[in-house]
Amino acid sequence: MKITPSARVLSMLGEIDFDEWQCVAELVDNPFDDFLDIIRSGTEWPDGFKVRVVLPSSPNGIIEIRDTGQGMSYERLARAVRAGWSGNDMHDKLGLFGMGFNISTARLGRRTRVLTTRAGDTEWIGVEIDLDQIKDDFEATDIAEPKDNPSLHGTKIIVDRLHRTRADWLRRNGASLRSTLGSVYSWILTEHPFELYVGGNRVKPIRHCHWGDDRYVLYNGKERIPAYIPINEKLQDGIACRDCGDWQIGSGEVCSVCGSGNLSVRERRIHGWLGVQRYLDKTEYGIDFLRNGRKIRRWDKQLFTWNNPDGVAGNEEPEYPVELAHQGGRLIGEIHLDHVPVTYQKDAFEYGDRSWLAAVELLRGVGPLHPQRASKLGYEENTSPLAHLFKGFRRNDAGLRYLVPGDGQRPIHVDTRDWGRKFRAGAPEFQTDERWWQAILRHEEIKKRGSEIKTADSVPAQADEQAVLDALGSAAGGSAPGAAQPRVEFETVFPAQKETETRGERLARYEGAASVHTYLSRSYGHPDLGYVKVRALLLEPRERLLDDNGLPVPVLLDQRSGNEFTALVDPEHDVFRRFGSDYADLLLIELAAILKVRARSDWSLSQLVAEIRAESLRDGALDGTNVGAEARDLLAEIRARLAEVLDRTGGHASAYDHLSEEERISTEKAMIAAGRVDLVSRLGLDCGFVHHSPALALVRLVEVMPASFLDGAVFRGPYAGVSSPSGKALSLTRVTGYLADVATLGTFAGEATAPQLRRARLSIALLRDELAGQE
């Protein structure tokens, strides 16, 4: 069988940069194309649509790809293995058998055998391409194998004399390969009855863990923004060349690129969805772009960057994520662009093609995503689907406002990422978004309870006895001033409990008046002690937690089954309310006593508590890097809010005037270091300086311009409506005190001591509570 071009060119194809998974995917594309042809034809296919990838078991092994497709005739096989040839329509198919086949097989090994048969054929026919034997006569060896069952059909590709590094990778990374292919072919494997096996295990489609189409947030308390936006935009039909794939301009009879007359009118449509992931991740966010069902780009983030059409090269500015950027993002999507050309490696689209640029404009608009930034640069408000999502979900504050689960104080990103892994593993209770939704509702409930407790604390705990007596005396006709008054006793009355209440009934009553504390609900232990699984519950404020002797306790552990415990916590206990102890501290003491007995450990209780905390609550460590990052993230959010207010009110010039000379120099240096030399010439002319000024300068801006930033503008504290100067000062100091702590820590976290870090973390929580919109 003659193949083209020469063996030397075939060998060079193996030097083209294809990852191992790409090589396998190229050889999977073609049977999937064959399967789709069968489905379109309406032909019954009782043997099913299966592709099996056999991985090498040793460095000297083989890789084999077998399918149950239609098989090929000798003539089609001869064309299929010819480098650069494609019998596939450039728009309907996943693969281009010729070039993709030769690149992938040459990259995997030195010898490839292709065998194919159709139902009714008496044998397998094929060709052997040995890169070490083929000469410039282009002759490859025809091969044939006997066929026991005439009804068999399909194709198998066997590659041996494998390149050692690629053979080792394939041999050791079967699970990783299945995961990648499960993501690349997720849509196809979900929508069609195709079965793909790698190393004997079935490849499962990797689906997106997104919020349901019935979830939404309210922007500014009134505009409903859904967490899932379907996309289905029908474009004008176009004329395309079936040979080279080029879309034609005009209505000529031959292709303007290759001269072929094989033209056809084709549909052009952008469809899929954009949405919000149920968890935040540093890498797993972005948009998947698909062509004919195969993902070309996964977790693509380029639509989150605005390319200023009036700027110079390199002026691109990422817009998402910016606030809390180190935590990652959660905006995701799956967009089908069947009409947009891709590169030969199928790992990118032709980004200069007009069809790609039109898709970008439809999905994210032409202007910035941020409304204030768009207005500042003279653009109309961006109403694209991505800008709509950005407006509603660009921040990650816990609660209903941004659809983020929390523990009553902060987001629980570690837990939600773990739930995402369980979703992908197929755990039934994590397939819907209900677990995430309930965590949000519990966060709001705990937060509301905390607000009620703060309100209760502001009211005197004891009645003003004299005032009551005076009122009673007046109501009774009054007694002479100074006359002795009868003493009135006040007694707190608690609802009587049934004397016959059993321990089980008492615990059930506690649980009925409790909510889950998500952060504390986790596995606790140590490799030397063993582990227990704890479900932590916070009691309602009016419920007192009593042990089996009827004595009040802050924490009560109840063993359920095996290593599972329920931990009941009374947030109203004096040790929490009066002395400020942490829930986790007392829970760890209870757990340490149990694990000490179970493991027969000779460790002291303090050592046990220390080791369990280090093992099980690592994310709560007082680490300068972590707390400093939290501080800087909050400062970035406050900077953005201050800048919005100054931009809206035109107060940027006045604010800039309040910076000292040293702060102005520092601001200018920070702009240059960040590559924002364009902002230096505009210092004081707009609010851009706020994002680069020293953190402590923000404190003074709030101090000298309180009317601009309080009363719900940035911070919720009252100001304009407060009548007394001392009241205004108290409201302002409440904010600036926390802000000064956070600004100091954000600047000097590396030198902070443990007490300073504890104070800073508390100030971060308190300052976040002071932000408008946190009620």
Side-chain angles (χ1 to χ4, degrees), residues 362-366 368-369 380-388 391:
L362 183 143
L363 294 170
R364 69 142 291 148
V366 295
L369 296 175
E380 297 290 333
E381 182 179 353
N382 193 331
T383 59
S384 68
L386 186 60
H388 204 48
K391 181 166 65 173

Side-chain angles (χ1 to χ4, degrees), residues 522-548:
R522 61 176 65 200
S523 176
Y524 292 88
H526 186 274
D528 295 337
L529 303 170
Y531 293 84
V532 293
K533 186 176 181 180
V534 175
R535 179 170 175 258
L537 301 174
L538 289 184
L539 264 66
E540 291 291 337
R542 292 180 178 83
E543 189 71 67
R544 295 281 67 75
L545 184 62
L546 305 178
D547 66 9
D548 292 344

Side-chain angles (χ1 to χ4, degrees), residues 400-592:
L400 287 167
R401 172 61 187 86
Y402 294 101
L403 218 57
V404 175
D407 62 5
Q409 292 183 322
R410 61 180 70 87
I412 51 172
H413 298 313
V414 173
D415 294 309
T416 54
R417 276 192 289 272
D418 182 60
W419 299 347
R421 286 190 289 270
K422 292 176 179 177
F423 164 85
R424 291 220 167 86
E429 64 271 31
F430 294 93
Q431 295 310 296
T432 70
D433 61 17
E434 189 62 23
R435 175 64 67 93
W436 285 261
W437 177 247
Q438 291 301 323
I440 291 175
L441 297 182
R442 285 193 296 271
H443 168 85
E444 296 289 355
E445 182 181 345
I446 295 171
K447 192 171 180 180
K448 179 181 178 183
R449 183 189 305 161
S451 299
E452 291 173 350
I453 291 173
K454 288 179 183 178
T455 302
D457 286 343
S458 66
V459 178
Q462 302 293 328
D464 186 338
E465 188 171 330
Q466 186 58 51
V468 175
L469 291 175
D470 290 345
L472 287 174
S474 174
S479 298
Q485 299 294 337
R487 181 173 178 83
V488 180
E489 298 289 343
F490 293 91
E491 181 180 4
T492 302
V493 180
F494 293 96
Q497 302 298 332
K498 293 192 306 179
E499 293 182 2
T500 58
E501 185 180 42
T502 66
R503 184 176 191 275
E505 290 172 335
R506 177 165 52 87
L507 294 177
R509 174 167 56 81
Y510 289 152
E511 289 195 45
S515 57
V516 176
H517 193 296
T518 309
Y519 177 76
L520 292 179
S521 297
R522 61 176 65 200
S523 176
Y524 292 88
H526 186 274
D528 295 337
L529 303 170
Y531 293 84
V532 293
K533 186 176 181 180
V534 175
R535 179 170 175 258
L537 301 174
L538 289 184
L539 264 66
E540 291 291 337
R542 292 180 178 83
E543 189 71 67
R544 295 281 67 75
L545 184 62
L546 305 178
D547 66 9
D548 292 344
N549 297 316
L551 300 175
V553 291
V555 177
L556 182 65
L557 277 183
D558 180 54
Q559 185 172 1
R560 295 305 163 93
S561 61
N563 287 328
E564 294 188 1
F565 286 78
T566 293
L568 295 159
V569 180
D570 181 3
E572 293 294 287
H573 195 282
D574 277 358
V575 74
F576 300 129
R577 292 200 59 191
R578 294 181 59 195
F579 299 101
S581 295
D582 187 79
Y583 299 154
D585 292 335
L586 275 74
L587 173 58
L588 288 174
I589 292 173
E590 296 287 340
L591 291 171

Side-chain angles (χ1 to χ4, degrees), residues 227-338:
Y228 180 92
I229 301 178
I231 306 292
N232 189 8
E233 187 72 18
K234 177 74 165 63
L235 307 176
Q236 183 179 0
D237 290 345
I239 300 175
C241 176
R242 295 171 63 91
D243 292 331
C244 74
D246 191 72
W247 291 90
Q248 307 297 298
I249 299 176
S251 56
E253 297 182 357
V254 297
C255 175
S256 59
V257 174
C258 69
S260 169
N262 191 13
L263 306 180
S264 64
V265 176
R266 305 192 66 85
E267 177 187 78
R268 297 189 304 158
R269 185 164 67 104
I270 301 172
H271 62 102
W273 57 270
L274 296 174
V276 181
Q277 195 163 241
R278 299 179 214 160
Y279 61 88
L280 199 69
D281 195 90
K282 293 182 180 180
T283 57
E284 291 183 358
Y285 70 95
I287 302 171
D288 293 345
F289 290 101
L290 297 82
R291 171 185 174 273
N292 294 328
R294 170 180 163 166
K295 290 182 182 177
I296 303 301
R297 295 290 300 169
R298 293 177 294 149
W299 307 120
D300 190 275
K301 301 170 179 61
Q302 59 185 302
L303 262 64
F304 299 145
T305 295
W306 181 61
N307 298 297
N308 187 344
D310 300 323
V312 296
N315 194 37
E316 298 82 4
E317 297 179 14
E319 297 185 279
Y320 177 86
V322 175
E323 293 145 351
L324 307 182
H326 83 281
Q327 294 180 354
R330 58 189 178 122
L331 297 188
I332 57 175
E334 196 172 79
I335 301 296
H336 296 254
L337 301 175
D338 299 342

Side-chain angles (χ1 to χ4, degrees), residues 321-327 370 394-398 401-402 404 409 411 413 447 628-645 690-692 695 698 702 709 713-715 739 742 764-765 767-775:
V322 175
E323 293 145 351
L324 307 182
H326 83 281
Q327 294 180 354
H370 199 293
R394 67 186 175 94
R395 287 170 53 191
N396 305 310
D397 302 342
R401 172 61 187 86
Y402 294 101
V404 175
Q409 292 183 322
H413 298 313
K447 192 171 180 180
E630 291 177 25
R632 287 188 292 275
D633 286 340
L634 180 55
L635 289 172
E637 182 178 341
I638 291 172
R639 289 178 190 275
R641 292 194 182 199
L642 294 175
E644 287 181 19
V645 170
V690 176
H691 298 283
H692 303 276
L698 304 178
V702 176
F709 302 129
V714 175
F715 304 101
L739 181 56
V742 176
I764 289 170
L767 182 58
R768 186 169 290 283
D769 283 343
E770 291 297 322
L771 289 177
Q774 303 300 307
E775 296 83 354

Side-chain angles (χ1 to χ4, degrees), residues 347-364:
D347 59 358
F349 288 86
E350 295 288 355
Y351 296 129
D353 189 89
R354 58 183 178 274
S355 55
W356 167 261
L357 298 176
V360 171
E361 181 174 340
L362 183 143
L363 294 170
R364 69 142 291 148

Side-chain angles (χ1 to χ4, degrees), residues 720-742:
V722 179
S723 57
S724 68
S726 61
K728 288 179 183 287
L730 179 61
S731 184
L732 176 60
T733 304
R734 182 184 180 94
V735 171
T736 55
Y738 300 150
L739 181 56
D741 276 355
V742 176

